[in-house]
Amino acid sequence: AQKITQTQPGMFVQEKEAVTLDCTYDTSDQSYGLFWYKQPSSGEMIFLIYQGSYDEQNATEGRYSLNFQKARKSANLVISASQLGDSAMYFCAMREALKYGGATNKLIFGTGTLLAVQP
Amino acid sequence: DVKVTQSSRYLVKRTGEKVFLECVQDMDHENMFWYRQDPGLGLRLIYFSYDVKMKEKGDIPEGYSVSREKKERFSLILESASTNQTSMYLCASSLSGRFNQPQHFGDGTRLSIL
């Protein structure tokens, strides 16, 4: 079973509008971390935002916010006031817990959502 | 800022060649990772290393090996390149032990095996 599911292979959004990119995850751990990365066409992966499983507030970083719904196991990325430079592939990822405490070193990635911002 | 540098952005090799992809990080991170990225499949972990000379297989290690002789450098080796290893290869590094530590990525190497 997929641990990270991104159901939107591609999306369009008009410049200056907000857009939500979906991510659901599957884990039986109580402790875990969730990440979003951006990958422009040039190829580099850029870390955007992090949400911990015990964080009570939704994470925000500038125009990026994370809509974290723990009971639904969803961690959707919201980009406000889209810009042309936001056109990129976006990946959701999860870090799980080790069996006896602490965090694994590995991240599990979804298959990504390609966002195209239209002028 | 963390800097992860991959030796080549684009590489073209022939079937059967031994191919080396090099990655260097400048932040004294314990962990280093090699992924391959293919359309529709996301990032798949090939190998990772949590210390010098230490390594663990990822999800798709077949046909690859790795070397970590120094903390800052992690090499991916294709022993005998095949056309199905044509892909984008991404190197990453991170600190250990905490949930909120992101992985920091290089710019990627687009490898074509002809």
Side-chain angles (χ1 to χ4, degrees), chain A residues 39 43 45 89 91 111, chain B residues 35-39 41-44 86-90:
Chain A
Q39 186 182 39
M45 293 277 284
M89 194 73 145
F91 290 94
T111 53
Chain B
Y35 295 89
R36 68 176 279 175
Q37 181 181 9
D38 301 288
L41 297 178
L43 275 72
R44 294 181 292 167
T86 291
S87 188
M88 171 75 141
Y89 290 86
L90 290 160

Side-chain angles (χ1 to χ4, degrees), chain A residues 5 8 12 16 36 39 43 65 72 81 84 98-99 101 106 114:
Chain A
T5 303
Q8 306 151 315
F12 288 101
K16 299 179 186 176
W36 277 92
Q39 186 182 39
S65 61
R72 293 186 178 185
L84 295 177
L98 289 168
K99 192 173 182 181
K106 296 190 282 186
L114 182 61

Side-chain angles (χ1 to χ4, degrees), chain B residues 57-74:
Chain B
K57 293 180 180 179
D59 301 316
I60 50 164
E62 297 78 19
Y64 303 95
S65 62
V66 290
S67 172
R68 193 165 180 201
E69 297 296 319
K70 293 185 178 181
K71 192 174 185 179
E72 67 270 19
R73 186 180 297 270
F74 192 36

Side-chain angles (χ1 to χ4, degrees), chain B residues 18-96:
Chain B
K18 191 169 185 176
V19 181
F20 294 85
L21 302 183
E22 306 286 347
C23 177
V24 177
Q25 52 96 1
D26 67 356
M27 283 302 291
D28 204 35
H29 285 171
E30 299 92 349
N31 304 313
M32 296 188 75
F33 307 83
W34 275 107
Y35 295 89
R36 68 176 279 175
Q37 181 181 9
D38 301 288
L41 297 178
L43 275 72
R44 294 181 292 167
L45 182 65
I46 305 171
Y47 267 98
F48 76 98
S49 168
Y50 49 92
D51 202 349
V52 175
K53 297 190 187 292
M54 307 303 285
K55 62 186 179 186
E56 273 195 33
K57 293 180 180 179
D59 301 316
I60 50 164
E62 297 78 19
Y64 303 95
S65 62
V66 290
S67 172
R68 193 165 180 201
E69 297 296 319
K70 293 185 178 181
K71 192 174 185 179
E72 67 270 19
R73 186 180 297 270
F74 192 36
S75 303
L76 179 69
I77 304 154
L78 287 66
E79 296 289 344
S80 177
S82 64
T83 54
N84 63 12
Q85 292 178 310
T86 291
S87 188
M88 171 75 141
Y89 290 86
L90 290 160
C91 176
S93 72
S94 76
L95 290 170
S96 280

